[in-house]
Amino acid sequence: MPRKRRRLVVCCVIQRIPGHAGWVGWLAMGAVGLFLAADGCRERASCPHCDTLVISAAGEPDALLPPLVGETVGRDVSDLIFDRLAELRAGGSPLDSTAYDARLAARWDRVDSVTLRFHLRSGARWHDGPAVRAADVAFSFDAYADSVVDSQARPTLAGRVTASAADDSTVLIHFRSPDPEQWYDATWHVRIIPRHIWDSIPRARWADDTAASHLVGSGPFRLTARTKGQSLTLERVGGEGGGPVVRRVIWRFTGDQDAAMNLLLSHEADLLESIGDSARVARVAADSALAIIPYPSAVYGFLGFNLAEGGRGPAQPREVRRALSRATDRTTAARAIFGPGAVAPPGPMSRNLWINDPAIVAASFDASEAARLLDAAGWTRAANGIRQKAGRPLAVDILVPGSSIARRNLAQVVQEMWRRAGVKATVTTVDFPVFQERLRTGRFESFIGAWLDEPSPRSLGPQWTSAGIGVLNYTHYRNPAFDRLYRQASDFRGSPAAALAAWREALDTLNSDAPAIWLYTPMNVAGVARRLEGVKINPYSWLAGLGSWSLRP
């Protein structure tokens, strides 16, 4: 990280604030004087914190206990603390048992059509000392399926997947019936948590338990410090030894993407997951101490409508939603905000999901068809250009989180497109916790959301089937025909080509109802300090390879 001008660096002297665990003094920004170095870190012996990686993040996780985690930053942190049984490799098929890398389990095999067997790795221990046992795995699967805990994986696991201990080091995963994605369901959804800690705490109280001492995992890093609203620190387990590995990871939490970006540009952070639009990418690329790493995002973004009974807004009728879809030039909007690498997906998916197929019928931009649909629905243009019906203007509010500049800018692009169609759109920006609360309680007309794909298209169930209402289906979209086609595609046991056709039929049905407008799946660009080497990013979990990255002294 050599630089000619003086700058803030993570090395040499860091002051501990009495009464706080970890190196919180440096994180407090101004509580202790940060120091300047003209040439960066020199010798590791004189720079004990050159092995520290600082990550800038827009937003702070609400939870770190895996069954309670519901957003990406919390997942990123907890995935370094807690282990899955095995990890699906990037690009691997969920159906292929050889496409998984060992994690908590060292090996696995099939017992019969409804039972898989996992053998835990020898010597696996919790960060507080006890050995990891098969009973911990069985406890974790039960917790994830419990309605009291209400994990995001509960609809997938409850009544379908259970775990039991054959002995202390052998776990049996049982399925209700034969299923094409058993290996995936046995490994992807559940991070293993310690029974000896959480079994004594009533599950109804888990969400309120903030004790750092309870966040004990078996993964490569352990939690050592957390300052609410500011930072979080992880230390590598078994941190001694040679080599320029990352031994400490610090998250700096900011209120929005601008602040997160500024931490990277001021060299107070080494890593930012996604820089944003092309102008921001250019600023990072111009800094000789920083590098950019493009990678296909596993995120898809959409504008969802409130379709709950008695819900808000004039977009309840399907023909109005179809008209708004036709009035939206999705490709232009995606590229205007996310750059030329962004695309408008044909459905609720990123480009990484294997069912992403251009043959899926998605609404294309057609201003004339949008006008025809609105005219037919009785919304005619008034003298001021805004469409009206019974003296009421056609007005739709778009709710966005203030933590996402991209979504706010995208809402403004959609606002202008809809204005040309005679629709008066307003954009309401709120803090992220308020945004989440308003989605849960249905206090919106439309919103711009973003979901992180999982490698299996079954993840669409909690988001868009009627079973997902009260889980992730904030639109309250309900269509028995789509639910049936979704179930058929999920259980399909034919060839991949035939399975793709089943998914295409389900998505064509979803698109014809227009519960949402599929706006973008971007090409992410991470900002990385050049002292960080060996960075390879898995689109489904961008920090998954962090254990093998290194930091140049």
Side-chain angles (χ1 to χ4, degrees), residues 29 54-60 229-230 251-275 280 283-284 402-406 408:
M29 283 302 296
V54 181
I55 300 173
S56 181
E60 181 177 9
Q230 294 183 25
W251 271 264
R252 291 282 304 278
F253 302 126
T254 68
D256 56 50
Q257 285 182 302
D258 273 343
M261 174 79 159
N262 287 337
L263 286 178
L264 181 70
L265 290 172
S266 64
H267 309 133
E268 297 170 50
D270 300 294
L271 192 59
L272 180 61
E273 177 183 7
S274 181
I275 297 169
R280 295 158 70 90
R283 291 178 65 195
V284 174
S403 59
S404 174
I405 294 172
R408 185 182 67 203

Side-chain angles (χ1 to χ4, degrees), residues 3 24 48 53 59 124 150 153 163 171 181 193 225 243 247 266 283 315 319 388 423 473 512 529:
R3 294 283 288 163
V24 209
L53 172 68
D150 198 25
V171 180
E181 291 193 354
I193 62 176
R247 302 191 184 281
S266 64
R283 291 178 65 195
E319 293 310 306
Q388 294 185 357
V423 180
N473 183 358
S512 70

Side-chain angles (χ1 to χ4, degrees), residues 64-199:
L64 294 177
L65 184 67
L68 305 178
V69 171
E71 42 67 53
T72 57
V73 178
R75 179 216 62 190
D76 295 340
V77 175
S78 66
D79 277 1
L80 294 176
I81 302 173
F82 300 90
D83 276 323
R84 292 181 172 104
L85 287 172
E87 195 83 38
L88 180 65
R89 288 193 296 275
S93 167
L95 311 180
D96 181 5
S97 65
T98 67
Y100 296 81
D101 291 326
R103 286 294 180 265
L104 190 55
R107 54 191 176 89
W108 42 88
D109 54 25
R110 177 175 291 282
V111 177
D112 54 41
S113 65
V114 292
T115 311
L116 305 178
R117 179 166 44 216
F118 290 82
H119 303 272
L120 303 186
R121 71 173 186 266
S122 176
R125 308 195 77 81
W126 297 109
H127 296 158
D128 61 347
V132 180
R133 301 187 184 280
D136 293 306
V137 180
F139 173 78
S140 300
F141 271 80
D142 182 70
Y144 268 83
D146 191 337
S147 60
V148 174
V149 177
D150 198 25
S151 76
Q152 288 190 1
R154 183 172 66 88
T156 299
L157 300 174
R160 295 185 60 250
V161 186
T162 58
S164 65
D167 56 46
D168 276 353
S169 61
T170 308
V171 180
L172 298 176
I173 308 295
H174 311 277
F175 297 85
R176 184 176 60 193
S177 59
D179 188 284
E181 291 193 354
Q182 287 178 345
W183 295 109
Y184 178 79
D185 286 341
T187 58
W188 178 264
H189 306 288
V190 177
R191 285 77 165 166
I192 310 306
I193 62 176
R195 178 183 177 182
H196 70 276
I197 290 178
W198 293 100
D199 195 25

Side-chain angles (χ1 to χ4, degrees), residues 72 75 273-276 293-301 338 341-343 345 349-353 356 450-454 520-526 537-542:
T72 57
R75 179 216 62 190
E273 177 183 7
S274 181
I275 297 169
I293 299 180
Y295 64 99
S297 173
V299 167
Y300 76 89
F338 296 100
V343 297
M349 67 196 79
S350 75
R351 74 187 86 201
N352 298 304
L353 196 61
N356 192 314
W451 290 125
L452 184 71
D453 263 350
E454 294 179 0
Y520 67 89
T521 178
M523 179 65 76
N524 269 356
V525 181
I537 296 179
N538 179 340
Y540 287 112
S541 182
W542 77 290

Side-chain angles (χ1 to χ4, degrees), residues 9 18 23 33 55 75 128 165 188 271 295 333 383 437 439 465-466 475 483 488 544 548:
V9 294
W23 298 97
I55 300 173
R75 179 216 62 190
D128 61 347
W188 178 264
L271 192 59
Y295 64 99
E437 189 271 337
L439 294 186
T465 67
S466 57
T475 66
D483 289 351
Q488 290 177 356
S548 65

